[in-house]
Amino acid sequence: MMRVRVAILGATGLVGRAMLAVLEQRGFPVERPRLLASERSASRTLRFRGAELAVEPVAADAFRDIDVALFASANPVSLEWAPRARAAGAKVIDNSSAFRYDPAVPLVVPEVNGDLLQAQPGLIANPNCSTIAIVLPLAALAPAARLERLVVATYQAVSGAGSDALDDLERGIREGLDGPPPPRAGGLAPFAWNVVPHIDRFEDNGYTREEMKIVWESRKILGLDRLPVTATAVRVPVRVGHGAAVMASFDRPIEPERARELWRAFPGLEVVDDPGTNAYPTPLRAAGNDPVLVGRARRDLSDPNGLVFFVASDNLRKGAALNAVQIAERLCAVDAAA
Amino acid sequence: MMRVRVAILGATGLVGRAMLAVLEQRGFPVERPRLLASERSASRTLRFRGAELAVEPVAADAFRDIDVALFASANPVSLEWAPRARAAGAKVIDNSSAFRYDPAVPLVVPEVNGDLLQAQPGLIANPNCSTIAIVLPLAALAPAARLERLVVATYQAVSGAGSDALDDLERGIREGLDGPPPPRAGGLAPFAWNVVPHIDRFEDNGYTREEMKIVWESRKILGLDRLPVTATAVRVPVRVGHGAAVMASFDRPIEPERARELWRAFPGLEVVDDPGTNAYPTPLRAAGNDPVLVGRARRDLSDPNGLVFFVASDNLRKGAALNAVQIAERLCAVDAAA
């Protein structure tokens, strides 16, 4: 099999490090990924297959001879470096939201709309972490009924806000053992011992940007441009693993047992749904694992055509790094090891 | 003002102790509440207005000369002792779910349907903690539009599961600082560092009993017997303070600003809803305070007649003890101090 020359931009962050780990775990045919970061984060090393790889500051020639660049960077960095990486001949898989809403840029969950990769696009957007976990079970139900409305409430881990937020959570939890947890920087409500219905900035319509990502991206990935969607995105004091309560309406009823059948047959999903043995998805059970867990399937008591369920997934893996590497595998026709 | 002779059954539990604190804080006209508990929990004392009151084991003559008995007990205990307390002449305000679904028993949130107390019922059921916080803002909107559908996802504090669960959370959080949090008794998923979509036992329809309480009780309190409702009830690693994402559909649109106006004018609610200053309800902000916090009001993007909002409230106070004492105040025509 051909070797793929891979770069990771933002290699030292939580998602960047998860990308490196996923490349190793899946036996991705890369020799030495080029690890790139801002000046601030460079000059450290990261372990890959037993070797210490130096992290280099991203610079003009950083993407020379690179086939696939995995971007685990914030929007401004992606906006600056994606055009340069593409000019250097690299295909870019970008985990930021900078390009997700550009109609020319495919937004891909391989199990759902991986066919978009056959056109060999030069820039692919990796979707929002919660959205990935929500669209997988919905796409699996497409053979049974047409989705007509989507209502979501999330339970999102603090690692989704980055490593500084995670450090802050640990501090807040410790301080909160014997007193009130301190506010976060800027006087924001603590994540520790709390739940906070505020992720990313507020939009003019009263939704947060995170909530609108779920609206826009579920439509785009599922190819349902006018799908009515509403979402409430909430941070919970969990390290890794996003949960979501999903209320989905269809053009006809779907029995929970039929839903579970379709989910079991769909790649990327693991059905954890047995009330008798207290089996259901939780973030702790999802963390560190590849599949999106889906369960708690039941009829929507408020809608004869509605199905209610709960998902949990590792927001750093399927929600970010794993999905990006899976895109790279498809793009490079690599046989996935996992 | 007449003195009221009050007993608290289950006085040593989290809700029982909160009832005692609320009686004191509101200057309820009681001299020495009679504190009752099972044999196991009796023989300790609790502080009330500077005095140490002995906790007595509940027994045949426990409710003699009592005007109002506040029950902070589990269903079997309430089922056993409510008839005896009534036979002794006491009015019973019961926080268990044992009598809530009996059509003959009023289920009361005083700000919403407190008029039911004018008939001086002998047994009043105190509603489920999450339901109380959800029906208050919905009742406030009744002048603007008729509620036609209710979709809820909760974020419920561990104190709702009692003091043993709370101790277990503290242990799990500590152990989880440096390793995986241990499972709970019976191999159940830990509450610590996790979210768990399982509260109370599972029903045959795939819903948990906690979720069905929200369905049944919101209908009964709001007087909308056939209101379509669905709920997902989730435990989060928070000590005190339940949150809920609420998606409500009406027979006509309600503008968020109109909703906030109605909420501001409604007793028991505090509007915390200013994205510009990052003001929104959180459990930590609600804990220890009386009002149900409501905010994040916005139009439901999936429903032209829908309104989405977020509530947070102290599950031990307005969710249990405070609501029970408010019922007692109305029943005894006591002027509330608070």
Side-chain angles (χ1 to χ4, degrees):
Chain A
M1 190 193 288
M2 227 186 63
R3 294 268 149 194
V4 181
R5 294 164 300 178
V6 175
I8 300 176
L9 176 59
T12 57
L14 291 177
V15 172
R17 282 181 280 155
M19 285 170 169
L20 195 61
V22 169
L23 287 173
E24 177 167 340
Q25 286 159 13
R26 293 173 74 86
F28 192 93
V30 57
E31 201 145 352
R32 288 171 69 89
R34 189 176 297 166
L35 306 184
L36 303 168
S38 61
E39 282 288 352
R40 184 173 71 95
S41 300
S43 85
R44 55 177 288 190
T45 64
L46 292 172
R47 216 167 172 76
F48 183 72
R49 293 193 194 130
E52 292 293 333
L53 304 187
V55 180
E56 307 162 34
V58 61
D61 59 348
F63 298 97
R64 192 192 300 165
D65 301 328
I66 289 295
D67 299 309
V68 173
L70 303 173
F71 277 30
S73 36
N75 285 16
V77 176
S78 291
L79 283 167
E80 180 182 352
W81 288 98
R84 302 191 193 185
R86 293 181 67 187
K91 288 185 190 297
V92 174
I93 302 167
D94 178 39
N95 194 53
S96 86
S97 65
F99 303 104
R100 289 178 189 162
Y101 315 117
D102 180 338
V105 176
L107 181 67
V108 175
V109 179
E111 298 90 338
V112 177
N113 61 348
D115 56 317
L116 295 176
L117 301 174
Q118 287 169 3
Q120 289 289 320
L123 172 61
I124 301 105
N126 204 44
N128 168 267
C129 40
S130 288
T131 309
I132 291 174
I134 294 162
V135 297
L136 270 165
L138 292 172
L141 301 177
R146 193 163 57 92
L147 183 62
E148 297 200 330
R149 185 186 174 197
L150 174 60
V151 176
V152 173
T154 70
Y155 303 72
Q156 298 187 225
V158 174
S159 56
S163 56
D164 287 351
L166 205 48
D167 291 345
D168 195 64
L169 172 70
E170 302 281 341
R171 263 195 309 276
I173 291 286
R174 283 174 197 271
E175 286 195 42
L177 285 169
D178 305 302
R184 283 178 293 136
L188 289 168
F191 291 147
W193 302 99
N194 205 12
V195 306
V196 179
H198 175 197
I199 303 180
D200 208 330
R201 62 182 166 81
F202 281 99
E203 302 279 313
D204 288 340
N205 64 357
Y207 283 75
T208 59
R209 187 88 181 167
E210 183 79 0
E211 290 160 352
M212 293 311 299
K213 288 175 187 169
I214 296 171
V215 174
W216 295 326
E217 298 182 26
S218 56
R219 287 176 182 159
K220 182 165 175 174
I221 299 164
L222 294 168
L224 300 168
D225 291 353
R226 293 157 187 274
L227 180 70
V229 187
T230 188
T232 300
V234 179
R235 197 67 82 185
V236 293
V238 167
R239 290 188 184 103
V240 175
H242 284 3
V246 181
M247 282 63 70
S249 296
F250 300 86
D251 64 344
R252 70 198 70 180
I254 302 182
E255 290 298 325
E257 192 43 45
R258 173 81 176 122
R260 284 185 283 264
E261 275 173 28
L262 289 165
W263 290 334
R264 284 191 198 99
F266 201 82
L269 290 176
E270 181 181 334
V271 176
V272 183
D273 196 4
D274 183 12
T277 60
N278 298 309
Y280 32 76
T282 69
L284 271 186
R285 185 162 176 163
N289 296 311
D290 287 352
V292 170
L293 309 184
V294 59
R296 292 295 327 273
R298 56 209 193 275
R299 301 192 71 152
D300 186 334
L301 301 176
S302 71
D303 175 0
N305 292 344
L307 186 76
V308 182
F309 56 91
F310 197 83
V311 297
S313 75
D314 186 318
N315 53 299
L316 300 176
R317 293 178 68 91
K318 186 58 186 172
L322 171 63
N323 197 70
V325 171
Q326 287 173 319
I327 291 172
E329 288 169 352
R330 286 258 201 146
L331 216 50
C332 307
V334 166
D335 287 329
Chain B
M1 190 192 292
M2 228 186 64
R3 294 268 150 195
V4 182
R5 295 165 299 180
V6 175
I8 301 177
L9 176 59
T12 57
L14 291 177
V15 171
R17 283 181 279 155
M19 284 170 169
L20 194 62
V22 168
L23 287 173
E24 177 167 339
Q25 286 160 13
R26 293 173 73 86
F28 191 92
V30 57
E31 201 146 353
R32 288 172 67 91
R34 189 177 298 166
L35 306 183
L36 303 168
S38 60
E39 282 288 353
R40 185 173 69 94
S41 301
S43 85
R44 54 177 288 192
T45 63
L46 292 172
R47 216 167 173 75
F48 183 72
R49 293 193 194 131
E52 291 293 331
L53 303 188
V55 180
E56 307 162 32
V58 62
D61 60 349
F63 298 97
R64 192 192 301 165
D65 301 327
I66 289 294
D67 300 308
V68 174
L70 303 173
F71 276 31
S73 36
N75 285 17
V77 177
S78 290
L79 284 166
E80 180 181 354
W81 289 97
R84 303 192 191 186
R86 294 181 65 185
K91 290 185 187 298
V92 174
I93 302 168
D94 178 39
N95 193 53
S96 86
S97 65
F99 303 105
R100 289 180 189 161
Y101 316 118
D102 181 337
V105 176
L107 181 68
V108 175
V109 179
E111 298 90 338
V112 177
N113 60 348
D115 56 316
L116 296 175
L117 301 174
Q118 288 169 4
Q120 288 289 322
L123 173 61
I124 301 105
N126 204 42
N128 167 267
C129 41
S130 288
T131 309
I132 292 174
I134 293 162
V135 297
L136 271 166
L138 291 173
L141 301 178
R146 194 164 57 91
L147 182 62
E148 297 200 330
R149 185 186 174 197
L150 174 61
V151 176
V152 173
T154 70
Y155 303 73
Q156 296 185 226
V158 173
S159 56
S163 57
D164 287 351
L166 205 47
D167 291 345
D168 195 64
L169 172 70
E170 302 281 342
R171 263 195 309 276
I173 291 285
R174 282 174 199 273
E175 287 196 41
L177 284 169
D178 305 302
R184 283 177 294 136
L188 288 168
F191 290 148
W193 304 99
N194 205 11
V195 306
V196 179
H198 175 197
I199 302 180
D200 210 330
R201 63 182 165 81
F202 282 98
E203 301 280 312
D204 288 340
N205 65 357
Y207 283 75
T208 59
R209 188 89 182 164
E210 183 79 1
E211 290 160 352
M212 294 311 298
K213 287 176 188 169
I214 296 171
V215 173
W216 295 326
E217 299 182 27
S218 56
R219 286 177 183 157
K220 181 166 176 175
I221 299 164
L222 294 169
L224 300 168
D225 290 354
R226 294 159 185 272
L227 180 69
V229 186
T230 188
T232 300
V234 178
R235 198 67 81 186
V236 293
V238 167
R239 290 188 183 103
V240 175
H242 285 3
V246 181
M247 281 64 69
S249 296
F250 299 87
D251 65 345
R252 70 198 71 180
I254 301 182
E255 290 297 325
E257 192 43 46
R258 173 81 177 122
R260 284 185 284 263
E261 275 172 28
L262 290 164
W263 290 334
R264 284 192 198 99
F266 201 81
L269 290 177
E270 180 181 333
V271 177
V272 184
D273 196 5
D274 183 11
T277 60
N278 298 309
Y280 32 74
T282 69
L284 271 186
R285 186 163 176 163
N289 297 310
D290 286 352
V292 171
L293 310 184
V294 58
R296 293 293 330 271
R298 57 209 194 275
R299 301 192 70 153
D300 185 336
L301 300 177
S302 71
D303 175 359
N305 292 344
L307 186 76
V308 182
F309 55 91
F310 197 82
V311 296
S313 75
D314 187 317
N315 53 299
L316 299 176
R317 293 177 67 90
K318 186 58 186 171
L322 171 63
N323 197 70
V325 171
Q326 287 173 320
I327 291 171
E329 287 169 351
R330 287 257 200 149
L331 216 48
C332 307
V334 166
D335 287 328

